[in-house]
Structures are given as structure tokens and as C-alpha cells.
Amino acid sequence: MKVKDLLNGMEKRVFDVNYLADICTLYIQRDFADIENSFNAGMARLHAVLTEDQRKHLTDLEEAYIARRTYAAQYGFKCGLYGAFQQHFGGADPSDGGFQELVCDDLLKQPKMQRHHENFQNIELCNQIDTAIMDTLSEEDQEHMISVACGWQQRVYSAALDGFYCGYRAAYDIMEAIDPLVKVRCIDKILTIEYHLGYIKPYSEVERHSEPTAA
């Protein structure tokens, strides 16, 4: 077996269906109730007013967004690995571990997003389908279409963010196997990135949410 084949096999095992399912679970556990409620209401309304052909296009839109979310979760993980190693060995010390530069600026913004060819094709497909459906809707129903698009875009962004953090944590777990004190020495950096990515909150906010409500 060639080393390349071995590495490809490792990547497939890392990014199997369970990985994406876990990324979706992390999204559900976050506080996106308002976005999801608007998304579900939008989908219900669109299925009621769209023609059969338009509903087929809506399904194509969902499939393109699912592909984008899958890519974002995988690419985010790789960037998280890179960001952690770069932070530890290269001396780089961005407060977010490199998430903005490595993921947001590269995967989610022009012009760099174009280098991710298949993912960029799905972005263009989403835009084309969104425009084609929007042009046939009333102003009220256009708001529902916007809610659907916003819901999917949040899922893609969250997949990239959670994937990045999983990769970041995995890198430190790897380093810890070699250097048992690496997390102790880098705890300030780890806590800083967890705060900037939204995984931990200031203690004042924790206190506020834990205070008993008045009867």
C-alpha cells in the first residue's frame, strides 16, 4: 500500500458519516432557536406556494447546502489542526487561533473562496436557485425564502466553526500524547480561543444566568 493511499483511507475514516452527524448535533445544542423556527416556518410556507418544479429546485438547493456544510466541517477541521500547530510551534498567537484568517477569509469570502472549486460551484448554484425562486414570489413569501437561506448559511458557518474547534482540540490531544504538559503551558491560549469562538462565557455572564429569578 502506498503512503498516499494510507492517508486517503485515514481521512475517509475521520470524515465518515458519524463526524458530520456529530457536527449537526453540536449545531442543535447551540442557541439557534429563532433562526431554526424562522427556517421551519419558511420551508413550510414555500412547500405550500411553490410549483412542483420549484419544489424540485428547492430540493436541489438543500442538497447544495448540505454539500457546502460537509465541506465546511471537513475544511474547518483541517484548519483547526493547522492553527493549533502553528500557534504552538510557529509562535503565531491570534486570539481566535486563526479561525478568521484560515476559514472565514479563505472559505467564506471573495476572492479566496473561488480556489475551493467544487464548493464554489455549489455556492453559485445556491445563488442561482435562490434568485430564480425569489423572482416568482410575493414580497411576503420572499421573506420566507430569506429565512431559509439564512438558516442554511448559519448551518454552514457553524459547521466550519465547530469543525475548526474539533481540529484545534485534536491537535492538542496529539501533542499531549508526546508532551503531557503542553495543555498546561498553553492554557491561556486555549481559553482565549474558546472564548473568542463562543464556547465559554465571561464569569459575569455565567453568574447572571445562574441568578434565581424573582418569584
Side-chain angles (χ1 to χ4, degrees), residues 194-215:
E194 290 178 343
Y195 168 74
H196 278 276
L197 295 183
Y199 291 99
I200 59 176
K201 299 178 180 179
Y203 187 65
S204 59
E205 187 173 342
V206 174
E207 281 185 316
R208 186 167 62 253
H209 285 289
S210 64
E211 292 176 353
T213 57

Side-chain angles (χ1 to χ4, degrees), residues 83-207:
F85 286 128
Q86 184 183 50
Q87 182 184 73
H88 184 65
F89 295 108
D93 192 26
S95 57
D96 64 354
F99 177 71
Q100 179 65 44
E101 176 186 358
L102 297 171
V103 180
C104 292
D105 293 345
D106 191 86
L107 181 64
L108 305 176
K109 292 183 179 180
Q110 291 279 22
K112 290 185 178 180
M113 64 163 57
Q114 295 186 37
R115 79 179 186 89
H116 304 271
H117 301 296
E118 184 174 346
N119 188 66
F120 186 67
Q121 289 176 356
N122 280 320
I123 292 175
E124 290 188 311
L125 177 60
C126 288
N127 292 337
Q128 292 167 5
I129 295 174
D130 182 84
T131 299
I133 294 178
M134 284 281 282
D135 288 344
T136 68
L137 298 175
S138 67
E139 184 174 340
E140 179 181 352
D141 289 334
Q142 285 180 350
E143 293 297 323
H144 288 296
M145 188 67 191
I146 291 172
S147 295
V148 168
C150 287
W152 273 116
Q153 289 164 12
Q154 181 60 62
R155 294 175 185 185
V156 171
Y157 177 84
S158 294
L161 187 146
D162 289 330
F164 180 88
Y165 181 61
C166 288
Y168 182 89
R169 285 280 298 272
Y172 269 100
D173 286 346
I174 291 170
M175 289 186 280
E176 188 178 40
I178 308 301
D179 179 0
L181 296 179
V182 65
K183 289 182 181 177
V184 175
R185 292 196 306 273
C186 297
I187 190 63
D188 57 334
K189 296 179 180 179
I190 294 172
L191 290 175
T192 298
I193 182 181
E194 290 178 343
Y195 168 74
H196 278 276
L197 295 183
Y199 291 99
I200 59 176
K201 299 178 180 179
Y203 187 65
S204 59
E205 187 173 342
V206 174
E207 281 185 316

